Amino acid sequence: DILKDENIEKLVFSSKELFSYADKQGFEVKNLSFDVSLAGYLLNPNASSYDIDKLCAQYDIALPQIDDEHKDYGAVCAMESLCEVLSAKIDEYSQLKLLCDIEIPLANVLAKMENIGFMVDVDGIKRYGEKELLDFIITRDDIPLQSVEAAYMIDGKWGYVQVERFA
């Protein structure tokens, strides 16, 4: 399978979606070296969208004129040019390490988290920002702590006591 092959370099549009698919299918994507959408984000974190059409417009890459039924094919055709331009910009701004060592692995982690899900403290989120204090009832109880770990008589005159902590 191409996605599992370490010898084939992968340049993708959305690594998180690909990682999510691979996780659901039970395999790891190997040798994913560039993500166009993450590169677009790193180069312009304030953009409203990182889809291929907008990235192509932003970086003056012409999309082929294709009918509406096959418009995704135009985006695929633009990927090579988009990868070249964004890769050069990422290099120019010294962000390749950030992309490859932080953002792409993070996309993998986030994809797995979304697949698994996670628990949320709903009440805590609802309370966030409230200035009202919460009341708690605290009950004091004895907490058994064993201070003496060992104690014995060595002979009739001498004894041994091992104190672990003073409680």
Side-chain angles (χ1 to χ4, degrees):
D1 187 37
I2 294 171
L3 296 174
K4 298 176 196 175
D5 191 334
E6 291 182 9
N7 298 315
I8 300 173
E9 182 179 31
K10 283 82 172 176
L11 312 172
V12 302
F13 174 70
S14 176
S15 60
K16 190 170 94 167
E17 290 177 20
L18 183 59
F19 287 136
S20 177
Y21 168 79
D23 181 54
K24 289 175 183 176
Q25 299 303 314
F27 69 89
E28 292 287 328
V29 176
K30 302 289 186 185
N31 198 8
L32 192 153
S33 63
F34 197 81
D35 181 327
V36 169
S37 60
L38 287 176
Y41 163 72
L42 290 177
L43 293 168
N44 185 5
N46 296 323
S48 61
S49 170
Y50 303 101
D51 64 24
I52 290 179
D53 294 348
K54 290 193 178 183
L55 289 170
C56 285
Q58 182 177 352
Y59 293 100
D60 297 321
I61 297 169
L63 282 169
Q65 297 299 320
I66 297 178
D67 60 50
D68 284 344
E69 185 180 337
H70 300 97
K71 71 177 188 172
D72 289 341
Y73 180 73
V76 170
C77 292
M79 276 291 290
E80 184 177 0
S81 298
L82 203 49
C83 283
E84 288 173 6
V85 170
L86 292 179
S87 182
K89 290 282 185 191
I90 287 287
D91 283 339
E92 179 182 340
Y93 295 117
S94 301
Q95 293 181 320
L96 187 60
K97 190 168 176 64
L98 176 61
L99 176 65
C100 295
D101 294 350
I102 304 292
E103 293 296 335
I104 291 175
L106 179 60
N108 193 6
V109 170
L110 293 174
K112 289 177 181 179
M113 285 177 63
E114 288 178 8
N115 287 346
I116 294 170
F118 50 91
M119 295 185 66
V120 175
D121 179 0
V122 175
D123 291 334
I125 292 172
K126 287 178 182 175
R127 274 194 322 272
Y128 183 76
E130 290 183 10
K131 298 190 189 297
E132 180 181 320
L133 297 176
L134 298 175
D135 289 325
F136 293 96
I137 297 173
I138 299 173
T139 305
R140 184 183 171 115
D141 199 357
D142 291 330
I143 301 172
L145 291 176
Q146 188 172 348
S147 297
V148 178
E149 292 292 319
Y152 54 88
M153 293 300 295
I154 296 172
D155 57 29
K157 184 177 176 183
W158 294 95
Y160 174 82
V161 177
Q162 178 184 350
V163 178
E164 188 64 32
R165 67 180 144 295
F166 290 97

